[in-house]
Amino acid sequence: MDADTIVWILLDGNWQQHLVSVSNLGAKVVALTLNESATEARRLIALGARGYVHALAVPELLLKVKKAVEYDGLWLGQDLMQQLLAPSERSPVIGYEKLSVREKAVAELVAQGLSNKEVARQLSITERTVKAHLSACFEKLNVRDRMQLAMHVRPLIRAL
């Protein structure tokens, strides 16, 4: 399997082991469920899934999911995305205190939905510098991508 392969997994039985093994082979995984939940979505994203959608979704929506995942995006329904990014009663993110002031600024702007270009403009830095700060944030917070970063940082922003 390569990075262009998309594997669709129905969440029943021993899906967790299958998801991890397929993801480790480099394939992009889309999880299909009959009962969407923010808790399950959070867990799937942490395990490497790139999409999470109802198994009975209309074909047009499944095509949108496929397109988003093909282009290295992450697909979650709008309601679910809002639930995941809503403030929660979580303990502070482990490692957040290790971020520099500039890394925190970049992380917070990305968590608000700004693109690298918009972050660069707002902080008067280059896009390359934004990418460097994001890489440092990913490593220090042990997250894989912008979505996981936003899920970790957004509740902290609301608490400030």
Side-chain angles (χ1 to χ4, degrees), residues 2 18-20 22 28 43 45 51 54 58 72 81 84 89 93 96 103 123 134 136 152-153:
D2 61 25
H18 189 60
L19 185 148
V20 171
V22 169
K28 298 171 183 172
R43 189 165 144 220
I45 292 167
H54 198 282
V58 296
D72 296 324
M81 182 75 77
L84 288 174
E89 298 298 321
V93 176
Y96 191 73
E103 289 166 350
L123 297 177
L134 283 174
H152 281 78
V153 173

Side-chain angles (χ1 to χ4, degrees), residues 9-51:
I9 296 177
L10 180 61
L11 300 181
D12 67 348
N14 195 18
W15 62 264
Q16 185 172 341
Q17 181 180 356
H18 189 60
L19 185 148
V20 171
S21 62
V22 169
S23 197
N24 287 341
L25 292 173
K28 298 171 183 172
V29 178
V30 175
L32 300 163
T33 184
L34 292 174
N35 298 303
E36 292 179 320
S37 80
T39 303
E40 185 174 63
R42 196 174 268 114
R43 189 165 144 220
L44 287 161
I45 292 167
L47 291 172
R50 302 301 303 160

Side-chain angles (χ1 to χ4, degrees), residues 102-160:
R102 193 58 114 181
E103 289 166 350
K104 286 178 183 176
V106 168
E108 290 167 7
L109 291 171
V110 166
Q112 292 173 28
L114 275 66
S115 68
N116 287 358
K117 190 174 192 172
E118 292 168 327
V119 172
R121 273 194 213 128
Q122 189 156 340
L123 297 177
S124 300
I125 58 178
T126 67
E127 284 185 69
R128 185 175 177 179
T129 303
V130 171
K131 290 177 185 179
H133 287 314
L134 283 174
S135 293
C137 291
F138 294 165
E139 185 176 329
K140 290 177 182 178
L141 297 177
N142 195 27
V143 297
R144 187 178 59 255
D145 55 33
R146 296 169 76 93
M147 179 63 195
Q148 283 189 334
L149 179 65
M151 287 170 47
H152 281 78
V153 173
R154 192 141 176 170
L156 295 173
I157 295 170
R158 302 258 172 116
L160 298 176

Side-chain angles (χ1 to χ4, degrees), residues 1-8 22 27-30 65-71:
M1 280 185 224
D2 61 25
D4 292 331
T5 303
I6 298 176
V7 176
W8 300 74
V22 169
K28 298 171 183 172
V29 178
V30 175
V65 173
K66 179 182 178 280
K67 275 266 195 251
V69 172
E70 273 180 337
Y71 291 100

